[in-house]
Structure formats: C-alpha cells, structure tokens
Amino acid sequence: AQSVSQHNHHVILSEAASLELGCNYSYGGTVNLFWYVQYPGQHLQLLLKYFSGDPLVKGIKGFEAEFIKSKFSFNLRKPSVQWSDTAEYFCAVSQQGSGNTGKLIFGQGTTLQVKP
Amino acid sequence: GAVVSQHPSRVICKSGTSVKIECRSLDFQATTMFWYRQFPKQSLMLMATSNEGSKATYEQGVEKDKFLINHASLTLSTLTVTSAHPEDSSFYICSAGGGFLSTDTQYFGPGTRLTVL
C-alpha cells in the first residue's frame, strides 16, 4: 500500500534560516507528488507539484522541492524562511496511470514555527 | 480561480442527530470530489471519493451508511453524518478536481468543524 512519511514533526527556525523538510513515499509505480501548506486557520493550499520532467520543482513563495526517484524522496526547501511561513506542511502522493483516481495519500504533516 | 467552499464552517449538534455538510466548487466544474477527515495535530485521512452522478467510493474502515455522500451536480457534493456521536467530532475537509482541471490536482475547501455533544 502507498504511504508517505514526513520525518520532521515539529521544526523551529529563526527568520532567514534555511529550511528542508523531508518526505519519503512508498509505492512501486509512477507517482504524482505534492506539497501543501495550511496556514493557521486557513485551508490547504498547493505549494508545488511534480508530475514529470525536471525533478527540481519551483513553487510559490520561494519554495522548491526535488524529486529523487532512487530515494523515493520529495524534500521541500526554502533558502530563507520568514515569520509568515509558520504553518503546517503536508507532503502527498497520488498514483499516475490507469489506476489514477486522483486519490491523495498524505504524510503526517510538519509544523513549522518561525521565530521573528 | 479554482475556489472551493464549504458550508457550514462550524456546527455543533446533539448526539443522535444528522448533520449535512456542503462542498461547492465555485468557479469550475468538478467531476470528482474527495472528503477527508482531519484529527487535531494529525494528517488528512481520505474518507471517500465521489464522482458526479455515481456512487461514492469509500475507503476501508469508513461506514458508508454513516457517512452518506451525494454528488448530484458538477459543483456540489454533500456529506451527511447520520446519527452523529461524539467520536464523529472532527474537522471535515472536501477537495475538488477534474472537469477542465486535471483530477491530479485537487483544490481544498476551508473545512467544517463538527462538534457532537
């Protein structure tokens, strides 16, 4: 069965620090990969997604993620975080191909707290 | 574009009553809508997938008779929690995709906080 694992449950950083959130998935086929963000009191928003092509994906608000197929990883990065990046971050996976129903499997989430 | 709304945003009900939650895609037609449940400080768990005009597909362990899903139009899906109990208290989130949008990308509603007393 598909599964998604996010290694960091709670990350605390100071402003301007660099960020990397880990995400590994378990699935033998071809997948679509996503990072979603949930700001306090708000709904999930798509940060970025990878379907195919360049494994380095750039998203909104200066975020990027790199798909490393051999490691089944899709880590999220930002060179310099801001206080406004304080939020919950979710990695998610869906199946490509004929079995694709659009169903998303989410990781446990990582709470990022940025101190001003 | 791609805005999804949910109503109500918050509901409190007595044990044994039924509660209906609406999910609407405001500016696109969604052939597929998904219903998730999120417990505090936890991830989203998919409950069911609904396709317009057909029966919903429920995930393992989700009671289809308790969580009734209707997707009667391309812009509206409803989740009815029947005979609600305190353990049904949770945050329910819908998402929508498909139509002119690929089903591969889902847009999420703001969620509905259900509290069963």
Side-chain angles (χ1 to χ4, degrees):
Chain A
Q2 287 176 302
S3 66
V4 179
S5 176
Q6 291 180 238
H7 317 301
N8 320 97
H9 297 295
H10 196 162
V11 174
I12 302 174
L13 294 173
S14 298
E15 276 194 315
S18 64
L19 169 73
E20 180 160 2
L21 301 181
C23 173
N24 284 89
Y25 66 93
S26 172
Y27 181 66
T30 306
V31 296
N32 300 315
L33 297 155
F34 306 82
W35 275 97
Y36 284 89
V37 61
Q38 188 174 30
Y39 297 104
Q42 296 189 29
H43 61 280
L44 268 79
Q45 299 173 41
L46 181 66
L47 268 181
L48 47 79
K49 61 187 178 184
Y50 173 81
F51 290 172
S52 64
D54 189 343
L56 185 61
V57 179
K58 294 193 183 298
I60 61 171
K61 305 187 180 186
F63 287 91
E64 65 178 31
E66 184 175 13
F67 170 50
I68 302 179
K69 189 174 181 180
S70 61
K71 294 184 178 181
F72 297 89
S73 70
F74 190 56
N75 291 356
L76 180 71
R77 299 194 292 250
K78 186 170 183 178
S80 176
V81 295
Q82 301 173 310
W83 177 79
S84 57
D85 293 324
T86 295
E88 189 82 15
Y89 291 82
F90 294 96
C91 181
V93 168
S94 69
Q95 179 182 343
Q96 280 194 21
S98 59
N100 180 15
T101 62
K103 172 179 168 179
L104 282 174
I105 305 298
F106 281 87
Q108 308 93 314
T110 297
T111 302
L112 172 63
Q113 184 181 353
V114 180
K115 294 184 174 180
Chain B
V3 178
V4 177
S5 71
Q6 279 184 244
H7 178 80
S9 58
R10 187 182 296 268
V11 58
I12 300 172
C13 69
K14 292 182 178 180
S15 185
T17 61
S18 294
V19 175
K20 180 184 283 189
I21 302 170
E22 292 186 349
C23 176
R24 292 182 186 272
S25 55
L26 298 185
D27 51 2
F28 68 102
Q29 292 183 325
T31 53
T32 306
M33 288 185 172
F34 303 85
W35 287 95
Y36 296 84
R37 187 171 177 177
Q38 185 180 28
F39 291 99
K41 302 295 183 183
Q42 294 187 31
S43 187
L44 284 76
M45 298 297 294
L46 180 66
M47 298 174 66
T49 303
S50 76
N51 290 292
E52 187 265 337
S54 61
K55 288 185 179 180
T57 302
Y58 290 81
E59 294 299 301
Q60 193 172 8
V62 178
E63 298 176 60
K64 59 181 68 175
D65 294 330
K66 181 165 188 62
F67 298 100
L68 301 179
I69 292 171
N70 183 279
H71 192 164
S73 78
L74 287 171
T75 59
L76 173 65
S77 176
T78 60
L79 167 68
T80 301
V81 183
T82 62
S83 186
H85 291 285
E87 58 265 28
D88 298 324
S89 298
S90 191
F91 196 53
Y92 293 89
I93 304 172
C94 75
S95 70
F100 75 87
L101 298 173
S102 166
T103 306
D104 289 328
T105 300
Q106 297 177 30
Y107 294 88
F108 286 81
T112 297
R113 173 78 59 196
L114 170 63
T115 302
V116 185
L117 302 175

PDB file of all heavy atoms in Angstrom, chain B residues 6 12 20-21 33-34 40 42 50 52-53 59-60 63-64 70-71 73 78-79 81 83 93-94 109 114:
ATOM      1  N   GLN B   6     -17.070  25.473   1.611  1.00  0.00           N
ATOM      2  CA  GLN B   6     -17.787  24.504   2.432  1.00  0.00           C
ATOM      3  C   GLN B   6     -18.743  25.243   3.349  1.00  0.00           C
ATOM      4  O   GLN B   6     -18.452  26.335   3.836  1.00  0.00           O
ATOM      5  CB  GLN B   6     -16.816  23.688   3.303  1.00  0.00           C
ATOM      6  CG  GLN B   6     -16.138  22.554   2.585  1.00  0.00           C
ATOM      7  CD  GLN B   6     -15.260  21.718   3.492  1.00  0.00           C
ATOM      8  OE1 GLN B   6     -14.052  21.681   3.300  1.00  0.00           O
ATOM      9  NE2 GLN B   6     -15.859  21.043   4.473  1.00  0.00           N
ATOM     10  N   ILE B  12     -22.353  22.542  15.700  1.00  0.00           N
ATOM     11  CA  ILE B  12     -22.448  21.806  16.957  1.00  0.00           C
ATOM     12  C   ILE B  12     -23.809  21.133  16.986  1.00  0.00           C
ATOM     13  O   ILE B  12     -24.825  21.788  16.716  1.00  0.00           O
ATOM     14  CB  ILE B  12     -22.306  22.754  18.171  1.00  0.00           C
ATOM     15  CG1 ILE B  12     -20.954  23.469  18.122  1.00  0.00           C
ATOM     16  CG2 ILE B  12     -22.450  21.976  19.478  1.00  0.00           C
ATOM     17  CD1 ILE B  12     -20.801  24.558  19.166  1.00  0.00           C
ATOM     18  N   LYS B  20     -25.547  17.760   7.779  1.00  0.00           N
ATOM     19  CA  LYS B  20     -25.173  17.788   6.362  1.00  0.00           C
ATOM     20  C   LYS B  20     -24.137  18.871   6.122  1.00  0.00           C
ATOM     21  O   LYS B  20     -24.295  20.012   6.553  1.00  0.00           O
ATOM     22  CB  LYS B  20     -26.399  18.057   5.487  1.00  0.00           C
ATOM     23  CG  LYS B  20     -26.061  18.097   3.991  1.00  0.00           C
ATOM     24  CD  LYS B  20     -27.262  18.459   3.131  1.00  0.00           C
ATOM     25  CE  LYS B  20     -28.194  17.305   2.965  1.00  0.00           C
ATOM     26  NZ  LYS B  20     -29.257  17.587   1.961  1.00  0.00           N
ATOM     27  N   ILE B  21     -23.086  18.519   5.413  1.00  0.00           N
ATOM     28  CA  ILE B  21     -22.026  19.459   5.062  1.00  0.00           C
ATOM     29  C   ILE B  21     -21.982  19.576   3.542  1.00  0.00           C
ATOM     30  O   ILE B  21     -21.969  18.563   2.843  1.00  0.00           O
ATOM     31  CB  ILE B  21     -20.651  18.977   5.581  1.00  0.00           C
ATOM     32  CG1 ILE B  21     -20.690  18.790   7.101  1.00  0.00           C
ATOM     33  CG2 ILE B  21     -19.558  19.966   5.193  1.00  0.00           C
ATOM     34  CD1 ILE B  21     -19.468  18.083   7.658  1.00  0.00           C
ATOM     35  N   MET B  33     -14.947  14.801  -6.396  1.00  0.00           N
ATOM     36  CA  MET B  33     -14.760  15.474  -5.112  1.00  0.00           C
ATOM     37  C   MET B  33     -14.324  14.442  -4.091  1.00  0.00           C
ATOM     38  O   MET B  33     -14.714  13.269  -4.160  1.00  0.00           O
ATOM     39  CB  MET B  33     -16.024  16.188  -4.663  1.00  0.00           C
ATOM     40  CG  MET B  33     -16.319  17.451  -5.481  1.00  0.00           C
ATOM     41  SD  MET B  33     -17.737  18.363  -4.837  1.00  0.00           S
ATOM     42  CE  MET B  33     -17.646  19.853  -5.833  1.00  0.00           C
ATOM     43  N   PHE B  34     -13.517  14.879  -3.157  1.00  0.00           N
ATOM     44  CA  PHE B  34     -12.976  13.995  -2.141  1.00  0.00           C
ATOM     45  C   PHE B  34     -13.355  14.527  -0.758  1.00  0.00           C
ATOM     46  O   PHE B  34     -13.397  15.735  -0.537  1.00  0.00           O
ATOM     47  CB  PHE B  34     -11.443  13.936  -2.233  1.00  0.00           C
ATOM     48  CG  PHE B  34     -10.922  13.494  -3.572  1.00  0.00           C
ATOM     49  CD1 PHE B  34     -10.762  14.404  -4.601  1.00  0.00           C
ATOM     50  CD2 PHE B  34     -10.603  12.168  -3.806  1.00  0.00           C
ATOM     51  CE1 PHE B  34     -10.282  14.011  -5.841  1.00  0.00           C
ATOM     52  CE2 PHE B  34     -10.113  11.758  -5.042  1.00  0.00           C
ATOM     53  CZ  PHE B  34      -9.957  12.677  -6.062  1.00  0.00           C
ATOM     54  N   PRO B  40      -7.110  16.527  15.310  1.00  0.00           N
ATOM     55  CA  PRO B  40      -6.178  17.559  15.778  1.00  0.00           C
ATOM     56  C   PRO B  40      -4.733  17.107  15.686  1.00  0.00           C
ATOM     57  O   PRO B  40      -4.392  15.996  16.104  1.00  0.00           O
ATOM     58  CB  PRO B  40      -6.605  17.787  17.224  1.00  0.00           C
ATOM     59  CG  PRO B  40      -8.037  17.406  17.260  1.00  0.00           C
ATOM     60  CD  PRO B  40      -8.183  16.276  16.286  1.00  0.00           C
ATOM     61  N   GLN B  42      -3.070  16.052  13.377  1.00  0.00           N
ATOM     62  CA  GLN B  42      -2.818  14.875  12.547  1.00  0.00           C
ATOM     63  C   GLN B  42      -3.048  15.191  11.083  1.00  0.00           C
ATOM     64  O   GLN B  42      -3.474  16.281  10.720  1.00  0.00           O
ATOM     65  CB  GLN B  42      -3.699  13.706  12.980  1.00  0.00           C
ATOM     66  CG  GLN B  42      -3.387  13.180  14.366  1.00  0.00           C
ATOM     67  CD  GLN B  42      -4.155  11.921  14.686  1.00  0.00           C
ATOM     68  OE1 GLN B  42      -4.457  11.127  13.784  1.00  0.00           O
ATOM     69  NE2 GLN B  42      -4.485  11.721  15.943  1.00  0.00           N
ATOM     70  N   SER B  50     -15.991  10.884  -4.502  1.00  0.00           N
ATOM     71  CA  SER B  50     -17.287  10.902  -5.172  1.00  0.00           C
ATOM     72  C   SER B  50     -17.149  11.462  -6.582  1.00  0.00           C
ATOM     73  O   SER B  50     -16.486  12.473  -6.788  1.00  0.00           O
ATOM     74  CB  SER B  50     -18.306  11.715  -4.375  1.00  0.00           C
ATOM     75  OG  SER B  50     -18.098  13.102  -4.500  1.00  0.00           O
ATOM     76  N   GLU B  52     -19.377  12.696  -9.923  1.00  0.00           N
ATOM     77  CA  GLU B  52     -20.694  13.221 -10.242  1.00  0.00           C
ATOM     78  C   GLU B  52     -21.547  12.174 -10.933  1.00  0.00           C
ATOM     79  O   GLU B  52     -21.108  11.558 -11.917  1.00  0.00           O
ATOM     80  CB  GLU B  52     -20.544  14.471 -11.116  1.00  0.00           C
ATOM     81  CG  GLU B  52     -21.847  15.197 -11.383  1.00  0.00           C
ATOM     82  CD  GLU B  52     -22.481  14.781 -12.695  1.00  0.00           C
ATOM     83  OE1 GLU B  52     -21.754  14.292 -13.581  1.00  0.00           O
ATOM     84  OE2 GLU B  52     -23.711  14.945 -12.844  1.00  0.00           O
ATOM     85  N   GLY B  53     -22.713  11.958 -10.379  1.00  0.00           N
ATOM     86  CA  GLY B  53     -23.675  11.058 -10.981  1.00  0.00           C
ATOM     87  C   GLY B  53     -23.495   9.594 -10.661  1.00  0.00           C
ATOM     88  O   GLY B  53     -24.260   8.747 -11.142  1.00  0.00           O
ATOM     89  N   GLU B  59     -13.297   4.567   1.506  1.00  0.00           N
ATOM     90  CA  GLU B  59     -12.051   3.932   1.934  1.00  0.00           C
ATOM     91  C   GLU B  59     -12.360   2.854   2.973  1.00  0.00           C
ATOM     92  O   GLU B  59     -13.407   2.876   3.646  1.00  0.00           O
ATOM     93  CB  GLU B  59     -11.100   4.968   2.530  1.00  0.00           C
ATOM     94  CG  GLU B  59     -10.613   5.988   1.509  1.00  0.00           C
ATOM     95  CD  GLU B  59      -9.849   5.344   0.369  1.00  0.00           C
ATOM     96  OE1 GLU B  59      -8.819   4.678   0.635  1.00  0.00           O
ATOM     97  OE2 GLU B  59     -10.276   5.500  -0.793  1.00  0.00           O
ATOM     98  N   GLN B  60     -11.421   1.955   3.087  1.00  0.00           N
ATOM     99  CA  GLN B  60     -11.600   0.857   4.031  1.00  0.00           C
ATOM    100  C   GLN B  60     -11.774   1.407   5.447  1.00  0.00           C
ATOM    101  O   GLN B  60     -11.036   2.298   5.877  1.00  0.00           O
ATOM    102  CB  GLN B  60     -10.363  -0.046   3.982  1.00  0.00           C
ATOM    103  CG  GLN B  60     -10.553  -1.374   4.674  1.00  0.00           C
ATOM    104  CD  GLN B  60      -9.380  -2.320   4.434  1.00  0.00           C
ATOM    105  OE1 GLN B  60      -8.361  -1.918   3.866  1.00  0.00           O
ATOM    106  NE2 GLN B  60      -9.517  -3.553   4.845  1.00  0.00           N
ATOM    107  N   GLU B  63     -17.655   3.848   7.289  1.00  0.00           N
ATOM    108  CA  GLU B  63     -19.005   3.297   7.181  1.00  0.00           C
ATOM    109  C   GLU B  63     -19.831   4.103   6.185  1.00  0.00           C
ATOM    110  O   GLU B  63     -20.181   5.268   6.429  1.00  0.00           O
ATOM    111  CB  GLU B  63     -19.685   3.351   8.547  1.00  0.00           C
ATOM    112  CG  GLU B  63     -19.007   2.527   9.627  1.00  0.00           C
ATOM    113  CD  GLU B  63     -19.701   2.732  10.970  1.00  0.00           C
ATOM    114  OE1 GLU B  63     -20.902   2.428  11.058  1.00  0.00           O
ATOM    115  OE2 GLU B  63     -19.054   3.200  11.920  1.00  0.00           O
ATOM    116  N   LYS B  64     -20.200   3.483   5.088  1.00  0.00           N
ATOM    117  CA  LYS B  64     -20.940   4.203   4.056  1.00  0.00           C
ATOM    118  C   LYS B  64     -22.353   4.574   4.498  1.00  0.00           C
ATOM    119  O   LYS B  64     -22.931   5.545   4.015  1.00  0.00           O
ATOM    120  CB  LYS B  64     -20.973   3.400   2.762  1.00  0.00           C
ATOM    121  CG  LYS B  64     -21.605   2.047   2.866  1.00  0.00           C
ATOM    122  CD  LYS B  64     -21.553   1.322   1.521  1.00  0.00           C
ATOM    123  CE  LYS B  64     -20.140   0.958   1.137  1.00  0.00           C
ATOM    124  NZ  LYS B  64     -20.055   0.164  -0.102  1.00  0.00           N
ATOM    125  N   ASN B  70     -23.320  12.476  -1.440  1.00  0.00           N
ATOM    126  CA  ASN B  70     -24.085  12.689  -2.663  1.00  0.00           C
ATOM    127  C   ASN B  70     -23.372  13.705  -3.525  1.00  0.00           C
ATOM    128  O   ASN B  70     -22.969  14.762  -3.043  1.00  0.00           O
ATOM    129  CB  ASN B  70     -25.499  13.170  -2.304  1.00  0.00           C
ATOM    130  CG  ASN B  70     -26.362  13.332  -3.535  1.00  0.00           C
ATOM    131  OD1 ASN B  70     -26.285  14.335  -4.245  1.00  0.00           O
ATOM    132  ND2 ASN B  70     -27.176  12.337  -3.801  1.00  0.00           N
ATOM    133  N   HIS B  71     -23.203  13.393  -4.797  1.00  0.00           N
ATOM    134  CA  HIS B  71     -22.526  14.309  -5.718  1.00  0.00           C
ATOM    135  C   HIS B  71     -23.453  14.508  -6.909  1.00  0.00           C
ATOM    136  O   HIS B  71     -23.233  13.953  -7.982  1.00  0.00           O
ATOM    137  CB  HIS B  71     -21.192  13.686  -6.137  1.00  0.00           C
ATOM    138  CG  HIS B  71     -20.274  14.624  -6.854  1.00  0.00           C
ATOM    139  ND1 HIS B  71     -18.940  14.359  -7.022  1.00  0.00           N
ATOM    140  CD2 HIS B  71     -20.486  15.806  -7.465  1.00  0.00           C
ATOM    141  CE1 HIS B  71     -18.368  15.339  -7.698  1.00  0.00           C
ATOM    142  NE2 HIS B  71     -19.287  16.221  -7.974  1.00  0.00           N
ATOM    143  N   SER B  73     -24.346  17.189  -8.651  1.00  0.00           N
ATOM    144  CA  SER B  73     -24.033  18.084  -9.765  1.00  0.00           C
ATOM    145  C   SER B  73     -22.530  18.284  -9.838  1.00  0.00           C
ATOM    146  O   SER B  73     -21.790  17.860  -8.948  1.00  0.00           O
ATOM    147  CB  SER B  73     -24.731  19.433  -9.596  1.00  0.00           C
ATOM    148  OG  SER B  73     -24.042  20.240  -8.650  1.00  0.00           O
ATOM    149  N   THR B  78     -22.309  16.651  -1.140  1.00  0.00           N
ATOM    150  CA  THR B  78     -22.699  16.775   0.261  1.00  0.00           C
ATOM    151  C   THR B  78     -22.272  15.543   1.034  1.00  0.00           C
ATOM    152  O   THR B  78     -22.286  14.422   0.515  1.00  0.00           O
ATOM    153  CB  THR B  78     -24.224  16.969   0.419  1.00  0.00           C
ATOM    154  OG1 THR B  78     -24.890  15.840  -0.146  1.00  0.00           O
ATOM    155  CG2 THR B  78     -24.681  18.235  -0.267  1.00  0.00           C
ATOM    156  N   LEU B  79     -21.897  15.776   2.272  1.00  0.00           N
ATOM    157  CA  LEU B  79     -21.567  14.707   3.217  1.00  0.00           C
ATOM    158  C   LEU B  79     -22.553  14.815   4.364  1.00  0.00           C
ATOM    159  O   LEU B  79     -22.646  15.873   4.992  1.00  0.00           O
ATOM    160  CB  LEU B  79     -20.142  14.866   3.729  1.00  0.00           C
ATOM    161  CG  LEU B  79     -19.743  14.011   4.943  1.00  0.00           C
ATOM    162  CD1 LEU B  79     -19.705  12.540   4.575  1.00  0.00           C
ATOM    163  CD2 LEU B  79     -18.392  14.447   5.499  1.00  0.00           C
ATOM    164  N   VAL B  81     -23.484  13.247   7.957  1.00  0.00           N
ATOM    165  CA  VAL B  81     -23.099  12.386   9.067  1.00  0.00           C
ATOM    166  C   VAL B  81     -24.389  11.996   9.772  1.00  0.00           C
ATOM    167  O   VAL B  81     -25.058  12.850  10.384  1.00  0.00           O
ATOM    168  CB  VAL B  81     -22.141  13.103  10.034  1.00  0.00           C
ATOM    169  CG1 VAL B  81     -21.694  12.158  11.145  1.00  0.00           C
ATOM    170  CG2 VAL B  81     -20.930  13.658   9.290  1.00  0.00           C
ATOM    171  N   SER B  83     -26.851  10.069  12.477  1.00  0.00           N
ATOM    172  CA  SER B  83     -26.828   9.639  13.880  1.00  0.00           C
ATOM    173  C   SER B  83     -25.447   9.897  14.490  1.00  0.00           C
ATOM    174  O   SER B  83     -24.738   8.975  14.915  1.00  0.00           O
ATOM    175  CB  SER B  83     -27.191   8.146  13.973  1.00  0.00           C
ATOM    176  OG  SER B  83     -27.302   7.749  15.315  1.00  0.00           O
ATOM    177  N   ILE B  93     -12.943  17.986   5.663  1.00  0.00           N
ATOM    178  CA  ILE B  93     -12.451  18.811   4.559  1.00  0.00           C
ATOM    179  C   ILE B  93     -12.799  18.157   3.237  1.00  0.00           C
ATOM    180  O   ILE B  93     -12.642  16.939   3.078  1.00  0.00           O
ATOM    181  CB  ILE B  93     -10.918  18.989   4.633  1.00  0.00           C
ATOM    182  CG1 ILE B  93     -10.504  19.586   5.979  1.00  0.00           C
ATOM    183  CG2 ILE B  93     -10.411  19.860   3.493  1.00  0.00           C
ATOM    184  CD1 ILE B  93      -8.999  19.609   6.192  1.00  0.00           C
ATOM    185  N   CYS B  94     -13.270  18.957   2.310  1.00  0.00           N
ATOM    186  CA  CYS B  94     -13.504  18.424   0.970  1.00  0.00           C
ATOM    187  C   CYS B  94     -12.494  19.016   0.000  1.00  0.00           C
ATOM    188  O   CYS B  94     -11.896  20.068   0.255  1.00  0.00           O
ATOM    189  CB  CYS B  94     -14.926  18.721   0.492  1.00  0.00           C
ATOM    190  SG  CYS B  94     -15.198  20.428   0.007  1.00  0.00           S
ATOM    191  N   GLY B 109     -11.359  22.835   0.206  1.00  0.00           N
ATOM    192  CA  GLY B 109     -12.244  23.755   0.894  1.00  0.00           C
ATOM    193  C   GLY B 109     -11.669  24.128   2.244  1.00  0.00           C
ATOM    194  O   GLY B 109     -10.671  23.550   2.689  1.00  0.00           O
ATOM    195  N   LEU B 114     -16.939  19.910  13.101  1.00  0.00           N
ATOM    196  CA  LEU B 114     -18.132  19.285  13.676  1.00  0.00           C
ATOM    197  C   LEU B 114     -17.863  18.904  15.123  1.00  0.00           C
ATOM    198  O   LEU B 114     -16.880  18.213  15.415  1.00  0.00           O
ATOM    199  CB  LEU B 114     -18.517  18.031  12.884  1.00  0.00           C
ATOM    200  CG  LEU B 114     -19.601  17.142  13.503  1.00  0.00           C
ATOM    201  CD1 LEU B 114     -20.928  17.902  13.606  1.00  0.00           C
ATOM    202  CD2 LEU B 114     -19.785  15.864  12.693  1.00  0.00           C
TER     203      LEU B 114
END
